[in-house]
Structures are given as C-alpha cells and as structure tokens.
C-alpha cells in the first residue's frame, strides 16, 4: 500500500539526523522562516566519547547562530588551548587571544541542542528511522521514514508480520540534508570511498582529576599512538587512548590489561592514581575512529542546492556547519 496524499508532509527542508550539525542547521533554517523536519533515529541522550571538545571556530559559529546557551546547565568547561607532552618535555599551544573552546559531556550537549532546535520557529523534531531517500532523476526530493509509533500501530500482514509499507511515511522538500554521522547509511549513494578505520578511541571518565594544565586539552605523545585528556566538568576529565587495530578484547579482560600495563605507565604520575581508579570502576567505552577524505565530489553532493534562488544564504549556512566540525 503506497502512502496517500494525506500522509505526505510538505517542508522547505528535511534534515536526517539530530546531532550537532543537524540541530544547528534546523535552528538556523527555522529562524529564517523555513519549515524544517528533523528526523532522528534515537532521541534519548547519546552515550558517546567523541565530539566532547568544541574548538573556538565551532563555539563562534554556534554563538553567531544564537545557540551559545547550549553550553549552559551541563557543567561545560572552558578550554584555552593545548599542552603537548613528550616523554621528556612539554609545549604550550594556546588558542589565539580572545578565543576559547568548550568541553562537555557529549550527550548533555546534544540534548541541549535538540531542545533549542525543537523550540525554534517552524522546526519539527521527531524520532524515526529514515529508510531511503526519494529520488526523481538526479535530485533527492524527500525521504521515506518509519516512526516508532507507526511501527507499533502498523497492521499485521499475511503471516503475522508487520506490514513495512503501511508503517512508512513519505515527506517531501526541495532540500534534504543528510547529517547522520560517520556510520551514515546514505553516504555510499554519493561517495564511492568507504571510511577507513585504523584504530579505536577507548575512553574513561577520571573523577577528581587535576590536569597538568587546567582548562586545556592535553596530548600525550605516547607509544604507539597519542593519549588525550580534557575536562568534561570542574570535577571530571575524559581520557581517550588511541588503540591501534585490532582492539584487544574487553570480554576476556585483555583491554583492561592493555590499558593498565601499557597506557598507565606512560601517563604523568599525578594522574595515574585516578586513571587506575577509573579503569577498575567502569567499563572502558570504545569507539572506532573513521577517516574519510573530505575532498569528495562536492559538486555532486550539493547539486540539489543549485536550483535554490538564495544561493548565498545556503552557501553561508553550509560553510558554518563545516566549521562546526573543525
């Protein structure tokens, strides 16, 4: 059964993904008076260990958009630059004068962004899974998605299975932005190159940690790859260990042993005790690091934008969101 006309919602833009870029994009377009539909697969608070230190360019762009209060109420820490450590010396790399970054719990920050986006005029934020893009010729004209409510209410097809067609909703818009992250299901439609994974970040939260250089990011040039440390709040810090593939098994304890015997001795003595306490208090969280060359076929990716009359506005917005990732 194909969706009827009453099922189709018209919008000026559809945003697939309610993360940092998706929410900021929806907020900006909504405040321009454009009707925006944001479809996010899971609106619960994300539990991730990346995207927790925003560089000054990103902070400035969020401020320009009027979203600086996303840093409020989450104990976000200030960041004024980096301290780089080798086994024998360290170097201070401050941000330019007057520029600051912010570090925070990723999930709390994203929740704030979602609240701001959902309260923006003309923006609708829903939980749903986009199953496919709707194409006409060489243009994307909308999306097909499934909401959790639709999945539950869809009638059973013959044989007792839920009817997939009955639970799908189609929405159309002149512009569709796919902002569904490094594990995007749709990137392969436009980009032949696959993300390259060479290592994983393994993260721990260090309690009552006193960093060597407060309110700074720390990079320890360890063997065989770097270790990062930055504050999440006034009392917590995130330690990220870049572990080359293959990642030691967490199930049999190899990962904890690797961190204890290989990583711990390379940390400054001042933070080793809180590192070992965290290692035996919580399960280390691992996330695969993906690398994707940014010089992908940009003209093909932005082809649907070429027919929009106010091209300078959209070009400026797109530039802002690339800077958010810097």
């Amino acid at each position: 059964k194909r969706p009827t006309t009453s099922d189709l919602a018209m919008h000026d833009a559809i945003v697939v993904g309610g993360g940092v870029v998706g929410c900021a994009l929806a907020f900006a377009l909504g405040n321009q008076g454009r009707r925006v539909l944001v479809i996010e697969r899971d609106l619960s608070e994300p539990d991730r260990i990346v995207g927790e230190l925003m560089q000054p360019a990103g902070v400035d762009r969020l401020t320009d958009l009027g979203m600086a209060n996303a840093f409020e109420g989450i104990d976000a820490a200030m960041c004024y630059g980096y301290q780089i450590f080798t086994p024998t010396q360290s170097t201070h790399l401050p941000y330019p004068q007057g520029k600051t970054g912010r570090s925070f719990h990723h999930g709390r920050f994203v929740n704030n962004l979602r609240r701001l986006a959902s309260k923006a005029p003309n923006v609708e934020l829903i939980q749903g899974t986009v199953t496919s893009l709707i194409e006409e010729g060489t243009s994307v004209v909308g999306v097909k998605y499934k909401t959790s409510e639709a999945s539950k209410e869809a009638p059973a097809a013959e044989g007792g299975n839920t009817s997939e067609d009955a639970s799908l909703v189609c929405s159309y818009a002149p512009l569709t932005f796919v902002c569904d992250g490094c594990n995007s299901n749709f990137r392969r439609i436009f980009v032949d190159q696959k993300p390259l994974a060479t290592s994983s970040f393994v993260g721990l939260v260090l309690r009552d940690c006193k960093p060597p250089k407060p309110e700074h990011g720390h990079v320890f040039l360890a063997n065989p790859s770097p270790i990062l440390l930055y504050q999440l709040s006034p009392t917590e810090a995130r330690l990220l260990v870049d572990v080359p593939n293959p990642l030691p098994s967490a199930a049999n304890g190899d990962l904890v042993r690797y961190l204890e015997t290989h990583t711990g001795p390379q940390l400054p003595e001042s933070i080793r005790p809180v590192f070992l306490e965290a290692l035996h208090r919580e399960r280390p969280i691992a996330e695969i690091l993906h690398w994707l060359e940014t010089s992908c076929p940009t003209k093909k990716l932005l082809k649907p934008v070429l027919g929009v009359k106010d091209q300078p506005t959209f070009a400026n917005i797109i530039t802002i969101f690339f800077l958010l990732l810097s």
Side-chain angles (χ1 to χ4, degrees):
K1 178 183 176 182
R2 296 181 62 83
T4 63
T5 304
S6 61
D7 296 320
L8 306 180
M10 291 301 298
H11 302 274
D12 297 311
I14 296 171
V15 178
V16 181
V20 177
V21 175
C23 287
L25 177 58
F27 183 89
L29 293 177
N31 279 292
Q32 286 186 349
R34 305 181 189 279
R35 298 166 298 169
V36 184
L37 174 65
V38 183
I39 307 171
E40 164 58 36
R41 182 182 59 82
D42 185 357
L43 286 175
S44 61
E45 182 173 305
D47 183 17
R48 300 192 61 194
I49 59 171
V50 294
E52 293 180 320
L53 200 166
M54 182 170 283
Q55 304 298 333
V59 174
D60 289 347
R61 298 295 80 75
L62 277 185
T63 302
D64 292 343
L65 290 172
M67 301 184 79
N69 51 348
F71 301 115
E72 297 177 1
I74 59 173
D75 286 331
M78 303 296 291
C79 184
Y80 295 99
Y82 280 84
Q83 192 77 15
I84 313 298
F85 295 81
T86 70
T88 58
Q89 61 183 353
S90 69
T91 301
H92 183 215
L93 299 177
Y95 291 143
Q97 188 170 1
K99 296 294 183 179
T100 60
R102 301 297 295 271
S103 52
F104 38 73
H105 284 276
H106 174 82
R108 299 174 191 174
F109 177 65
V110 170
N111 269 3
N112 271 1
L113 289 176
R114 289 172 178 172
R115 278 191 285 268
L116 288 171
S118 64
K119 292 179 181 179
N122 311 301
V123 176
E124 180 183 4
L125 174 62
I126 65 171
Q127 181 167 296
T129 301
V130 175
T131 60
S132 62
L133 305 177
I134 302 173
E135 299 184 56
E136 288 185 0
T138 60
S139 298
V140 174
V141 297
V143 301
K144 290 183 180 180
Y145 67 94
K146 184 187 297 186
T147 65
S148 55
E149 290 78 10
S151 300
K152 294 175 182 177
E153 297 172 1
E158 184 177 353
N161 295 321
T162 300
S163 171
E164 182 177 352
D165 288 343
S167 67
L168 286 178
V169 179
C170 294
S171 285
Y172 293 87
L175 280 169
T176 298
F177 295 89
V178 178
C179 308
D180 57 346
C182 64
N183 296 315
S184 173
N185 292 322
F186 303 106
R187 182 184 292 112
R188 63 180 181 274
I189 299 174
F190 303 100
V191 182
D192 296 329
Q193 182 188 10
K194 294 182 179 180
L196 179 65
T198 58
S199 63
S200 296
F201 261 153
V202 177
L204 292 167
V205 175
L206 309 188
R207 294 177 180 171
D208 299 319
C209 177
K210 296 181 179 179
K213 186 76 172 176
E215 297 183 324
H216 280 69
H218 300 68
V219 180
F220 303 101
L221 300 179
N223 178 32
S225 49
I227 303 168
L228 309 182
L229 177 73
Y230 50 84
Q231 291 176 256
L232 294 174
S233 72
T235 59
E236 297 173 307
R238 172 74 75 191
L239 187 84
L240 291 178
V241 183
D242 187 1
V243 181
N245 289 341
L247 184 69
S249 171
N252 64 12
D254 283 351
L255 180 57
V256 169
R257 282 189 288 272
Y258 174 90
L259 295 173
E260 188 169 24
T261 61
H262 191 80
T263 304
Q266 299 189 73
L267 294 173
E269 291 185 8
S270 60
I271 63 175
R272 285 180 201 167
V274 291
F275 165 74
L276 293 173
E277 186 275 332
L279 187 60
H280 294 286
R281 166 176 41 84
E282 65 178 66
R283 177 182 60 85
I285 300 175
E287 287 204 22
I288 298 173
L289 293 175
H290 291 93
W291 178 84
L292 181 66
E293 187 179 355
T294 56
S295 59
C296 56
T298 307
K299 290 184 179 179
K300 184 175 181 181
L301 287 172
L302 299 181
K303 192 171 183 178
V305 180
L306 299 180
V308 179
K309 293 182 180 179
D310 54 344
Q311 291 180 33
T313 300
F314 280 105
N316 182 56
I317 290 173
I318 292 169
T319 300
I320 284 175
F321 299 110
F322 275 114
L323 286 172
L324 278 173
L325 302 177
S326 67

